[in-house]
Amino acid sequence: MRTYLCLGILLLFLTSCDDGDIIFTSFDFDDQDLKVCGDAENKVFYKIKNDNIFESISLSTDQLATIEEGFISTEIGEITFSLSGENNKLVYRTFDDAVTTDYFCNNIPPSTPRVQQEYKSVGGTVIIITQETASDDIDGDDILNTLEGMATEQDTDGDGIFDYLDIDDDGDNVPTSEELKKLATDPVNADGYKDSDEDGIADYLDDDDDNDGVITRWEVTELNTNPATNYNPTTDQPYYLDKTASIQYEGAESLINTIKKSFSSLIRIQDLKLKNQGGDAEEISFESYTLGTFVSNNLEVTYPLEEEEPTEGEETN
Ligand SMILES: [Ca+2]
Ligand SMILES: [Ca+2]
Ligand SMILES: [Ca+2]
Ligand SMILES: [Ca+2]
């Protein structure tokens, strides 16, 4: 007969297993990663532990249907829903063998490992709190937020996207990260940034980098997707840095301002009640149970954020 090494640290409780062994469990999955699977309609967040006993805890929900696969939300704030019905439940299980990620989100439940015990929620409120992961350089353009006037909501090019979120701070269609690149021989301004025309304004904040009277935006073409067309073959320099020659390419749309952000969503269940689906049908209550934190890394967010669709009946202009 299998011998279970029975360990538990917090919230220990005692129950008996189908084959008569005694199991202590603590519902302690703190050290395990929270994973997700499912489709747009139904999602399962779960944790697996195969240490001393084989166990899992999972939260199934149909309340996150509008989100894309792989993350919970890019909206800072709180999502709340009740645990009720088959579509929204928390389930704790123990198994007779190691449980793997394949176990979850199958249309047909796997026959192995076999479930030994099952506790299912009979009440509780799920609270998901999403926060943005702090970053020194949110737009990733190599200038720190603090140097991009985050506190004062500085917007150099007046395009409605604050500099610390703007990948092209001067709106000249050359990304800031590109305008920072410099050779040892390139002139720099007092702050040490590349300043091609030496007027004291760094290229990344200068809308006419070569000071030839033609704004940089009109000296670059096709949103920089084809650098060859931006080059003056005679001087081997891009037109926007070549004051001896210019092209006049007007009407280019602005670069699409997509940056990468990371979010963490803490999933907690308030007033959780779990009921043993076998044995003595005992109930266990948690005033607050933390399932874990789901991290969504490097999500692409485009600014300005899309405005919400007008609701039905609302006038559109
Ligand atoms: Ca920026
Ligand atoms: Ca620029
Ligand atoms: Ca300059
Ligand atoms: Ca110019």
Side-chain angles (χ1 to χ4, degrees):
M1 182 188 290
R2 183 182 300 280
T3 304
Y4 288 99
L5 178 61
C6 302
L7 277 180
I9 302 165
L10 296 167
L11 300 164
L12 292 175
F13 77 96
L14 182 64
T15 184
S16 66
C17 199
D18 288 351
D19 60 4
D21 285 333
I22 303 297
I23 291 179
F24 288 100
T25 186
S26 62
F27 294 101
D28 178 10
F29 289 81
D30 282 358
D31 295 335
Q32 317 306 316
D33 287 338
L34 185 64
K35 298 190 167 80
V36 69
C37 62
D39 53 32
E41 309 274 292
N42 293 287
K43 289 192 164 56
V44 181
F45 296 91
Y46 62 93
K47 284 182 165 185
I48 289 170
K49 197 162 150 189
N50 292 309
D51 290 348
N52 304 303
I53 49 175
F54 309 119
E55 57 187 340
S56 73
I57 195 153
S58 62
L59 170 68
S60 310
T61 179
D62 63 5
Q63 295 296 301
L64 300 172
T66 57
I67 67 166
E68 289 176 41
E69 198 172 337
F71 66 95
I72 292 181
S73 178
T74 56
E75 297 290 319
I76 311 304
E78 207 170 287
I79 299 170
T80 301
F81 56 88
S82 297
L83 289 178
S84 62
E86 271 307 294
N87 289 345
N88 292 284
K89 63 187 176 189
L90 190 84
V91 177
Y92 168 84
R93 287 178 177 145
T94 62
F95 302 89
D96 66 350
D97 204 348
V99 57
T100 66
T101 55
D102 301 340
Y103 185 83
F104 297 92
C105 296
N106 283 309
N107 289 333
I108 305 160
S111 54
T112 59
R114 282 180 53 221
V115 177
Q116 293 197 308
Q117 289 191 107
E118 181 173 271
Y119 286 80
K120 207 183 273 187
S121 55
V122 289
T125 303
V126 177
I127 300 166
I128 302 177
I129 298 169
T130 298
Q131 290 184 313
E132 194 176 317
T133 306
S135 165
D136 289 347
D137 177 15
I138 296 176
D139 59 6
D141 65 2
D142 294 330
I143 311 261
L144 296 178
N145 304 330
T146 49
L147 298 176
E148 293 211 82
M150 187 182 192
T152 56
E153 300 189 331
Q154 172 184 307
D155 178 13
T156 299
D157 57 10
D159 64 354
I161 304 166
F162 302 133
D163 284 5
Y164 72 95
L165 300 171
D166 197 336
I167 60 167
D168 178 15
D169 295 295
D170 54 5
D172 65 1
N173 274 352
V174 184
T176 293
S177 57
E178 189 64 32
E179 298 204 76
L180 293 177
K181 290 177 186 166
K182 62 178 188 229
L183 302 171
T185 50
D186 285 330
V188 294
N189 71 357
D191 296 324
Y193 295 114
K194 183 178 172 184
D195 177 15
S196 296
D197 58 7
E198 300 179 70
D199 65 353
I201 303 167
D203 282 8
Y204 82 96
L205 296 175
D206 195 335
D207 64 0
D208 178 8
D209 295 301
D210 55 4
N211 202 27
D212 64 357
V214 181
I215 56 170
T216 295
R217 191 185 179 89
W218 292 353
E219 295 197 80
V220 295
T221 61
E222 299 174 53
L223 295 177
N224 284 311
T225 51
N226 186 1
T229 63
N230 297 331
Y231 258 75
N232 180 358
T234 313
T235 60
D236 198 28
Q237 269 198 311
Y239 284 107
Y240 73 93
L241 295 178
D242 181 354
K243 61 180 70 182
T244 69
S246 65
I247 51 169
Q248 289 269 359
Y249 182 83
E250 297 180 32
E253 290 174 37
S254 296
L255 294 176
I256 294 169
N257 198 78
T258 299
I259 63 178
K260 289 187 171 169
K261 290 182 152 193
S262 298
F263 298 86
S264 66
S265 301
L266 177 71
I267 306 180
R268 192 166 65 77
I269 298 133
Q270 195 75 26
D271 299 323
L272 172 65
K273 282 195 179 59
L274 291 172
K275 186 174 184 180
N276 191 345
Q277 300 300 297
D280 55 4
E282 70 173 324
E283 283 191 21
I284 308 158
S285 295
F286 294 84
E287 197 180 323
S288 177
Y289 180 80
T290 299
L291 183 63
T293 300
F294 190 76
V295 177
S296 317
N297 279 321
N298 296 324
L299 297 177
E300 293 192 339
V301 182
T302 299
Y303 287 84
L305 298 174
E306 273 183 34
E307 287 182 22
E308 282 187 23
E309 298 279 323
T311 49
E312 217 170 310
E314 218 171 306
E315 292 268 326
T316 51
N317 294 315

